Amino acid sequence: MRYNVVLFDADETLFDYTKAEAHALTSAFQEMKLECTPLLVDSYRRINQELWKAFEQGSITQQQLRTARFERLVAEHRLSEAIDAEAFSQAYIKYLGEGAFLIDGAAELCSQLQAGGQRMAIITNGIKEVQLSRIGRSELCDAFECIVVSEDAGSQKPHPAIFDFAFDKLGFPDRQEVLIVGDSLTSDIAGGSRYGIDTCWYNPGRKPNHSDVQPTYEIQRLEELVPILAGATHSQGNTSPSRA
């Protein structure tokens, strides 16, 4: 086995965050007695993405992010003054925690790896109560040796402290035997590269990489990870090693 430990990102790598977000937004808007229009959804997603980038860069805290996105949404669209951003946030987080939707192939991949004795962990910047709820409700609930959440680590990807925290929980494995798999170049891949571990960019949409961040591998389907872990990266034509 080429890699002893696989660190998986959660959202948009194993878990379908887009579907979970849609469920949470629709339900939270209904609870707030607001019509969930496409314009409001698009605005929320833009605001949310901007704030998560700020969190990733350390500009704001996760606690600030939780409410700020709804404060900005209410202000931007001049929604009813009766709308309480904190209550909106709490409703959204409650419903988001229900969204245990998986990316296609995630259950099969983790089952296969688990049966083969592969050590696996999750490393996520997501909100702890949401992530633990979603993972616990899913088919993957018992697949991971540990779940590393940025709130517990006191740091977030791409910063090294969260990787220090993860390695501590995993018994300090050899970095050459650890692979991180994720969909974010700026968070998962940049963080792993800086920490000195190999990286696998899950890129199902075949997005171009215009950044300076170069993953060790790039895959479009989760099943393509299997030969990488086995050390047979050239056995599948759709698996793209970025370096030897």
Side-chain angles (χ1 to χ4, degrees):
M1 190 176 291
R2 171 69 178 86
Y3 295 99
N4 183 36
V5 178
V6 183
L7 298 176
F8 282 105
D9 171 53
D11 290 328
E12 299 302 340
T13 300
L14 295 178
F15 289 83
D16 191 331
Y17 179 79
T18 301
K19 189 178 289 186
E21 180 187 60
H23 164 73
L25 281 174
T26 300
S27 302
F29 271 88
Q30 288 177 347
E31 187 166 316
M32 293 295 107
K33 296 181 170 54
L34 291 172
E35 183 182 1
C36 188
T37 67
L39 178 60
L40 286 174
V41 171
D42 288 346
S43 293
Y44 171 80
R45 286 177 169 162
R46 171 179 49 78
I47 292 167
N48 191 48
Q49 186 175 44
E50 290 171 359
L51 289 173
W52 274 106
K53 285 294 182 186
F55 170 67
E56 190 178 292
Q57 295 163 2
S59 303
I60 62 170
T61 67
Q62 192 180 90
Q63 191 62 39
Q64 291 170 327
L65 178 153
R66 290 167 66 133
T67 305
R69 51 192 174 181
F70 293 101
E71 290 174 341
R72 284 180 53 178
L73 183 69
V74 169
E76 188 173 300
H77 289 273
R78 299 179 181 178
L79 301 177
S80 169
E81 293 181 0
I83 298 298
D84 181 352
E86 178 61 33
F88 208 159
S89 173
Q90 290 177 2
Y92 174 77
I93 287 169
K94 174 182 67 177
Y95 293 118
L96 189 62
E98 297 174 353
F101 309 107
L102 297 178
I103 295 291
D104 288 345
E108 294 80 2
L109 172 68
C110 290
S111 177
Q112 179 180 351
L113 296 182
Q114 189 176 25
Q118 176 70 60
R119 297 180 68 192
M120 295 181 286
I122 280 183
I123 183 167
T124 174
N125 285 352
I127 295 169
K128 181 178 179 178
E129 64 191 271
V130 170
Q131 300 300 64
L132 294 184
S133 174
R134 293 169 66 212
I135 295 167
R137 292 167 181 257
S138 78
E139 297 175 59
L140 310 184
C141 60
D142 63 350
F144 306 105
E145 188 171 328
C146 63
I147 298 168
V148 175
V149 186
S150 58
E151 284 179 66
D152 290 336
S155 178
Q156 64 275 2
K157 297 175 292 183
H159 302 289
I162 191 172
F163 290 93
D164 285 337
F165 186 83
F167 269 62
D168 183 26
K169 291 179 75 70
L170 291 164
F172 299 101
D174 187 332
R175 294 191 191 194
Q176 293 185 346
E177 297 179 353
V178 178
L179 178 73
I180 184 170
V181 182
D183 69 300
S184 171
L185 285 171
T186 58
S187 174
D188 308 310
I189 308 307
S193 296
R194 293 173 192 169
Y195 201 69
I197 62 176
D198 282 355
T199 61
C200 180
W201 183 29
Y202 175 55
N203 182 22
R206 298 179 183 270
K207 295 179 291 188
N209 180 5
H210 299 303
S211 74
D212 294 331
V213 179
Q214 293 300 316
T216 314
Y217 311 98
E218 178 180 337
I219 60 175
Q220 281 76 51
R221 301 189 310 275
L222 288 176
E223 66 195 59
E224 295 170 22
L225 186 61
V226 175
I228 291 175
L229 297 177
T233 59
H234 298 292
S235 63
Q236 286 194 1
N238 289 331
T239 303
S240 306
S242 296
R243 62 175 171 83

